[in-house]
Each structure stands twice: as structure tokens, then as C-alpha cells.
Amino acid sequence: MSDQQRITVRVPAKINISLAVGPLRADGFHQLTTVFQAVDLYDVVTAERAEGIALAVQGPEATGLAADDTNLAWRAAALLAEAGQSRAGVALHVSKFIPVAAGLAGGSGDAAAALLACDRLWGLGTPMAELDALAARLGSDVTFALYGHTALGTGRGERLSPISTTSEFHWVLAVASRGLSTPSVYRELDRQRQTTGVPADGAAPDRVVAALQAGDYTALADAMGNDLQPAALALAPELARTLEAGVSAGALAGMVAGSGPTCVFLAQDRATAQSIARDIQASGTCRFAVAVLGNVAGARPATLPADQ
Ligand code: C5P
């Protein structure tokens, strides 16, 4: 058993540098080929010993988020307790800095952080392969949040292979004043594909992977792309102005992040990213814009137990 009374884990947001959406599967998910990258915008999840499961959510991006058993962090704790046959309880506390329903996998990140924090708190020592499997049951992006950095995701996004890159990547996130529901964006893509007859190809993002490995920003700007973008733009047409604002501000490329409505822009360096963020913010086409660094680690305890 662990003698830890309290564990704090921080977990990054993710972007999809490339998101190729294949056909709709019988289980209701789409076959994906995607390149994930973790960026340094973090939620912080603290787990403390308690009776039963309790959850509190606060922070600048907590508005409207349920703090009950529908929250993925709560579900992660319950799933781990069941899988580890643990009767221990936990009081989870989530500090939200990653915007909700923004295409940045904030909820998935909280679930990954809760899995890791409860595993430590309860002293379960669950092997990583088992945590992976639990993460995949919670959501398509939860596994990536455990690992972070840069990875190719296949299946419904939960099967990962790391992409090694030693370069730093500078991005700007332009966060919209409303959220978009992920299922509705996928449904809209299916609707558009039915109407236009354009097949779902889900091609492998070889050029993106090569550009990442080479640290070649120009090639990356040219190759990045998101099959969900037309669907997100149909549901939130105002994003076209945000995308224009980022490119006029000097971004190498811009696109919708995941299922949106956040827009993500590639910048040459940190100073340029900061100036692009200021310009997008000044354009009034988003709620806020922030420069972030890509290729950071996934969910990690902020303080390690003394014996590790
Ligand atoms: O796995 P997650 O809970 O994040 O998925 C949310 C929703 O997004 C799914 O219910 C599904 O509608 C859609 N989705 C999908 N194909 C994927 C991932 C997500 O259709 N590969």
C-alpha cells in the first residue's frame, strides 16, 4: 500500500497536427489516422484519500463542467477502483486551464491524470499496459494523454506509436467563445460525405511525420491538415475569420484543432507565436489566444513518492 495521502498530476492539452478520418465503424467510432502532439497548456488534478469518490472542479475554464459521475475524471477513478479491486476512496480536485469542448482533449486529459493519480494514491502499481487499456475504455484520446510528446494514433485514436523529434514546435491556440460537441462534428462530416460522395480515405500522414522528424516547419505547414475542419466550419462559420486572422498575423499555417472550435497556428519561433497570439486576440475573432510549446510530456505526478 502507498502511504501517500495526496497526489498531484498535471496533464497537457493535445492538438492533432494531422487528422485523417476514415469510415464510420460498426461501433459508432470512425477509423482514424492522426498525429497527436501534447502542448504546454495544463490541467492539474489532485487526488486525496477519502471515503467513496468525490469531485470538485474549479479554475478559469471550469464553467459549465459537471462535477459528478458523468465527468470523465470521476469515471476514471471508478473504473480503476473496479479494475484494481480497490475499496479505497478518493476526493478528486480538478483545476481547469484547458478549455472545455474545445477540441483540445481537456476532459480526456483529466481522465488520464485521475487514472495516474489514483493508481499512485491507492498504491496499486497498475502496469502501464493495463492503464493503457483502461484509458482506451474511457475515451479515444485518453491513452495519448498518458504519454504526451508526439505520436501517430490509429484505430479510433487509441493505438499509439511514438514519433521521435528533437525539435521544439511553437503553436498558437485561438480559443472560441463557445464549444462544439465532438459527436456533432463527426455527424456533420458523415452528412457532408454522403451529400458530396467524397470517400473517407484516412490516408497515412507520411509527409507530416517526415516534417516532424526533420524539424522542417515549412514542410510541416504545407502537410498539416484536418478532415474535420469543413464540418467544424459548417457548424461554426465564424471560425473562418479566426483562421484568416492567424494567417494574416504571420502564422505558417492554421487549421481547426481536432473537432474544434479552437484554431491552431504553426509559428516559426516563440517570439513570433507570442506576437501572432497578440494580433489574433486584438482581431476580436476569438475569446483568447495563447502561444504554446509542442512536444511536451503527458500526465505526470508533480511530486513523486519518496520511494520512486
Ligand atoms: O472517444 P471519445 O469519447 O472522445 O469520442 C467522443 C465522440 O466522438 C464519439 O462518441 C464519436 O461520436 C466521436 N468519435 C468518432 N470517432 C473517433 C473518435 C471519436 O466518431 N475515432
Side-chain angles (χ1 to χ4, degrees):
M1 278 293 287
S2 157
D3 58 1
Q4 290 284 304
Q5 293 299 314
R6 185 189 168 99
I7 306 277
T8 298
V9 171
R10 69 172 195 172
V11 63
K14 66 87 188 145
I15 56 172
N16 302 80
I17 300 176
S18 168
L19 178 51
V21 181
L24 178 61
R25 311 189 315 197
D27 64 2
F29 289 89
H30 292 76
Q31 194 64 29
L32 298 186
T33 311
T34 186
V35 175
F36 291 112
Q37 188 164 81
V39 297
D40 69 343
L41 174 64
Y42 297 99
D43 277 354
V44 180
V45 176
T46 297
E48 273 182 284
R49 287 185 174 273
E51 295 288 314
I53 298 177
L55 173 64
V57 184
Q58 48 102 268
E61 297 295 328
T63 312
L65 200 57
D68 57 21
D69 62 2
T70 62
N71 188 296
L72 263 191
W74 180 307
R75 286 172 47 204
L79 184 64
L80 183 69
E82 188 194 313
Q85 294 179 341
S86 167
R87 286 164 191 259
V90 64
L92 290 168
H93 185 279
V94 180
S95 294
K96 288 294 303 170
F97 298 92
I98 305 173
V100 177
L104 299 172
S108 300
D110 298 344
L115 276 182
L116 213 59
C118 292
D119 185 62
R120 297 282 174 119
L121 186 75
W122 297 337
L124 296 176
T126 311
M128 206 56 196
E130 280 173 40
L131 278 186
D132 276 17
L134 296 177
R137 283 172 62 185
L138 290 162
S140 311
D141 296 332
V142 181
T143 317
F144 176 71
L146 285 174
Y147 292 92
H149 297 292
T150 306
L152 183 70
T154 55
R156 54 183 242 268
E158 86 288 14
R159 280 194 223 142
L160 300 175
S161 32
I163 297 172
S164 57
T165 171
T166 50
S167 306
E168 290 192 333
F169 296 92
H170 296 278
W171 304 94
V172 177
L173 302 177
V175 176
S177 46
R178 58 158 162 159
L180 273 181
S181 121
T182 304
S184 68
V185 178
Y186 276 98
R187 266 198 306 275
E188 172 61 17
L189 176 69
D190 291 336
R191 197 197 59 76
Q192 288 182 355
R193 281 178 169 170
Q194 261 179 355
T195 314
T196 58
V198 173
D201 92 11
D206 297 342
R207 286 168 58 228
V208 170
V209 173
L212 284 165
Q213 287 169 334
D216 183 337
Y217 303 131
T218 311
L220 186 60
D222 192 45
M224 61 194 240
N226 179 3
D227 281 357
L228 287 176
Q229 178 162 314
L233 283 173
L235 298 177
E238 69 276 14
L239 297 180
R241 289 184 53 229
T242 317
L243 290 171
E244 270 168 37
V247 173
S248 333
L252 295 170
M255 65 182 180
V256 169
S259 54
T262 304
C263 294
V264 58
F265 301 92
L266 178 63
Q268 190 68 49
D269 51 40
R270 184 174 170 75
T272 315
Q274 285 169 337
S275 111
I276 293 168
R278 276 193 300 273
D279 286 1
I280 300 177
Q281 180 112 24
S283 76
T285 60
C286 64
R287 180 158 63 86
F288 70 90
V290 62
V292 292
L293 178 69
N295 201 28
V296 299
R300 294 285 183 276
T303 48
L304 286 170
D307 60 348
Q308 299 206 12

